[in-house]
């Protein structure tokens, strides 16, 4: 059975390509999804995409992944910096999750330097644009992770 990965785009990512191009680049979320889908196909991975501007919906999506998928790629957007609910959802889902950010959060405002979700993710990729999603997918497929431990 092919491996399955879910990509979850958080708040405002549906506006990519139309907002703050100097920070996020000119690619739309759909452009990024096509790139990731093409890479997934080359790796023989089944992939699904979601986007929500609502914290509770993202929590629900993560919870639904428990026991059903092999990995999550999550760009939680602004929720990265303050959502204990997302952190708890990732932890309780027990699905290897990679945190992705298009921009380098450490070169931005100081409040963006803190990620509440990083400690419960297997890794964090930031500042590499849409390539971060591709690297996250490859990492999820190439690595063997120990049983969930936080």
């Amino acid at each position: 059975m092919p491996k399955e990965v879910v990509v979850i785009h958080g708040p405002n990512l549906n506006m990519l390509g139309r907002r703050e191009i100097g920070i996020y680049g000119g690619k739309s979320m759909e452009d990024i999804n096509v790139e990731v889908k093409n890479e997934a196909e080359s790796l023989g991975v089944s992939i699904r995409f979601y986007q929500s501007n609502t914290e509770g919906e993202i929590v629900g999506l993560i919870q639904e992944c428990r026991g059903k998928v092999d990995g999550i790629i999550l760009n939680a957007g602004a929720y990265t910096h303050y959502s204990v609910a997302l952190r708890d959802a990732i932890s309780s889902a027990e699905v290897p999750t990679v945190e992705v950010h298009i921009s380098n959060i450490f070169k931005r405002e100081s409040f963006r330097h803190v990620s509440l979700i990083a400690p419960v993710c297997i890794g964090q990729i930031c500042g590499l644009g849409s390539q971060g999603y591709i690297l996250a997918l490859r990492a999820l497929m190439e690595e063997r992770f120990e049983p969930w431990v936080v």
Side-chain angles (χ1 to χ4, degrees), residues 97-122:
T97 301
V98 178
E99 175 186 354
V100 173
H101 299 283
I102 293 168
S103 68
N104 183 344
I105 61 175
F106 300 102
K107 290 180 76 174
R108 299 187 63 197
E109 303 92 340
S110 61
F111 70 86
R112 295 185 197 273
H113 298 179
V114 175
S115 170
L116 294 185
I117 66 174
V120 294
C121 291
I122 60 167

Side-chain angles (χ1 to χ4, degrees), residues 28-47:
S28 69
M29 184 182 71
E30 292 78 16
D31 294 336
I32 293 170
N33 288 349
V34 167
E35 290 177 1
V36 176
K37 181 178 182 279
N38 290 340
E39 182 67 17
E41 287 174 359
S42 76
L43 295 171
V45 177
S46 173
I47 194 143

Side-chain angles (χ1 to χ4, degrees), residues 40-59:
E41 287 174 359
S42 76
L43 295 171
V45 177
S46 173
I47 194 143
R48 291 184 283 147
F49 300 93
Y50 297 96
Q51 189 279 325
S52 179
N53 293 317
T54 306
E55 184 179 23
E57 282 185 25
I58 297 170
V59 167

Side-chain angles (χ1 to χ4, degrees), residues 12-95:
N12 299 310
L13 293 169
N14 57 312
M15 298 298 292
L16 287 174
R18 295 178 278 169
R19 70 180 263 263
E20 300 177 281
I21 306 275
I23 295 173
Y24 300 108
K27 291 182 183 176
S28 69
M29 184 182 71
E30 292 78 16
D31 294 336
I32 293 170
N33 288 349
V34 167
E35 290 177 1
V36 176
K37 181 178 182 279
N38 290 340
E39 182 67 17
E41 287 174 359
S42 76
L43 295 171
V45 177
S46 173
I47 194 143
R48 291 184 283 147
F49 300 93
Y50 297 96
Q51 189 279 325
S52 179
N53 293 317
T54 306
E55 184 179 23
E57 282 185 25
I58 297 170
V59 167
L61 287 167
I62 293 168
Q63 290 173 348
E64 290 173 21
C65 289
R66 183 182 171 101
K68 296 180 182 168
V69 302
D70 299 292
I72 298 171
I73 298 169
L74 173 63
N75 184 337
Y79 294 139
T80 299
H81 314 293
Y82 71 86
S83 179
V84 175
L86 282 184
R87 177 192 171 102
D88 290 349
I90 295 164
S91 181
S92 65
E94 298 182 347
V95 175

